[in-house]
Amino acid sequence: MESLDYISKNDYLKRYFEDIPREELRKHCRLVIYKPQNIIVKKGEHINFIGIIISGRALLVNEFANGNAYILKELKLLSIIGDIEIVSLAKGSACTIESIDECMLIAVDDKVFLKWMRLYHGFALHVARRLAERFHESSNENGKYMVYNSNYSLISTIINVVDNITGGKTAENFNIRLKNTRKELGERIGLNERTINRLLQKLKNENLISINSGKIYINNFQLQKLKELKENLQMDRRKI
C-alpha cells in the first residue's frame, strides 16, 4: 500500500491531514521501514522529517555525557516523531529513538511540513493541538515518573526483550532465559549493576521472574503479570 492508502483508512490520520490536498499527500508522504533495534533518530543529530508510526513500536531514550541512557517512554501507533524539533527550529534531536520491532512510518520532509503549516491553517491547528496534548501529558507524568522510573524501565526492557524473542506469541507456554547480562540491562536504562540486582531480586521475590545459577528466566505466566504491573504503573503515573 501507499502512504495515502494508510491515511484514507485511519480516522485520526484523515483528520490530521484533512486540509492537505490529496496530490500534495501523494507527492510528499512516503513510507519508511525500520528493522528491530534500528536507530530512527540519534540524539543531537539534525532531524529533517516528521514521522508518524503506523505499525510497530519504538523507544524514546535520553542519553547523557556520562554514558547513562534512560528509557523515557514507548512510542506506539500514531506517535509522531520530529514535529517538536522542526516547529521549534531545534538544531538537534533531544533524544534517541530506537525501533523495538519492525516499525513503519509515514514520513514528510521538514521543509514540506513547515510549508503546509504556513499554507493550511487547519493543519497548523492540528499540529499545535497535538503538541499541546503531549506537553500536557508530559507535565502530568513528570512527578510520578521520577518515582517509578527505575522499576518501570527495567520491567519495560524485560518485556521488550521477551516479546522480541517470542514474536509476541504469549499464548504459548514458554520459559525463556534472558541472554542480557545485568550490566547490559543497566547500560540500556542508565542504572548500575547494584541497582539492577536489587530490582531483579524484588521481581524474583514477587515471582515475576526466576533466577537460577545467576541466569534470569521468565515464563509466559510471569510475562503476563509483568505486563499487568507495567500497565498499573502507567495508570498510576496518569493520576498525577
Side-chain angles (χ1 to χ4, degrees):
M1 288 198 299
E2 296 182 354
S3 56
L4 195 56
D5 297 320
Y6 286 98
I7 294 172
S8 299
K9 293 180 179 180
N10 184 280
D11 289 339
Y12 175 80
L13 293 177
K14 282 193 293 187
R15 289 194 301 272
Y16 189 77
F17 289 114
E18 63 184 348
D19 277 11
I20 311 299
R22 290 178 65 86
E23 284 306 312
E24 283 281 292
L25 294 174
R26 182 176 287 108
K27 180 179 179 181
H28 294 293
C29 293
R30 65 185 187 276
L31 297 178
V32 184
I33 299 176
Y34 294 88
K35 294 181 179 179
Q37 299 181 339
N38 274 11
I39 299 296
I40 299 174
V41 177
K42 184 72 173 175
K43 180 178 179 177
E45 292 183 354
H46 174 63
I47 179 168
N48 59 1
F49 69 96
I50 69 129
I52 304 176
I53 297 176
I54 55 175
S55 70
R57 301 164 297 153
L59 288 177
L60 187 67
V61 181
N62 205 352
E63 301 166 317
F64 296 93
N66 61 7
N68 289 342
Y70 295 88
I71 297 174
L72 300 183
K73 69 181 300 184
E74 184 178 300
L75 304 177
K76 298 182 180 180
L77 186 67
L78 301 179
S79 295
I80 302 180
I81 295 166
D83 51 349
I84 293 176
E85 288 82 358
I86 292 171
V87 172
S88 66
L89 301 180
K91 294 182 178 179
S93 175
C95 300
T96 292
I97 301 175
E98 177 184 341
S99 58
I100 297 174
D101 38 28
E102 185 171 274
C103 195
M104 182 184 293
L105 278 62
I106 293 177
V108 179
D109 289 343
D110 55 349
K111 292 181 175 59
V112 174
F113 179 73
L114 289 173
K115 183 186 77 171
W116 287 352
M117 288 190 67
R118 289 193 298 271
L119 292 179
Y120 307 109
H121 294 170
F123 178 69
L125 182 60
H126 280 303
V127 173
R129 182 177 293 118
R130 177 73 180 218
L131 292 176
E133 288 172 352
R134 286 161 63 186
F135 284 130
H136 184 267
E137 177 187 0
S138 176
S139 298
N140 278 338
E141 288 188 353
N142 278 343
K144 203 63 169 284
Y145 178 80
M146 296 303 295
V147 175
Y148 286 115
N149 180 45
S150 299
N151 196 35
Y152 178 84
S153 295
L154 179 58
I155 290 170
S156 296
T157 299
I158 292 173
I159 290 171
N160 291 335
V161 169
V162 176
D163 280 347
N164 284 337
I165 294 172
T166 64
K169 297 178 180 179
T170 56
E172 299 177 3
N173 292 328
F174 58 80
N175 188 34
I176 293 172
R177 178 173 73 85
L178 271 63
K179 294 183 179 180
N180 306 72
T181 65
R182 287 159 172 75
K183 182 179 179 181
E184 289 170 342
L185 291 173
E187 288 174 348
R188 181 161 186 178
I189 58 179
L191 299 174
N192 59 43
E193 288 187 63
R194 179 179 297 179
T195 302
I196 290 291
N197 283 330
R198 176 175 57 80
L199 293 174
L200 288 174
Q201 187 61 47
K202 183 174 184 293
L203 293 178
K204 178 188 175 184
N205 293 342
E206 296 172 357
N207 194 30
L208 295 172
I209 62 170
S210 301
I211 299 178
N212 187 3
S213 300
K215 306 297 183 183
I216 305 167
Y217 293 83
I218 183 168
N219 58 41
N220 55 307
F221 174 79
Q222 292 168 329
L223 178 64
Q224 184 57 41
K225 290 296 183 183
L226 279 178
K227 289 184 175 181
E228 291 173 3
L229 177 57
K230 177 184 175 182
E231 180 62 26
N232 288 337
L233 291 177
Q234 288 176 322
M235 291 178 65
D236 286 344
R237 286 160 61 189
R238 286 195 287 268
K239 293 176 183 177
I240 291 296

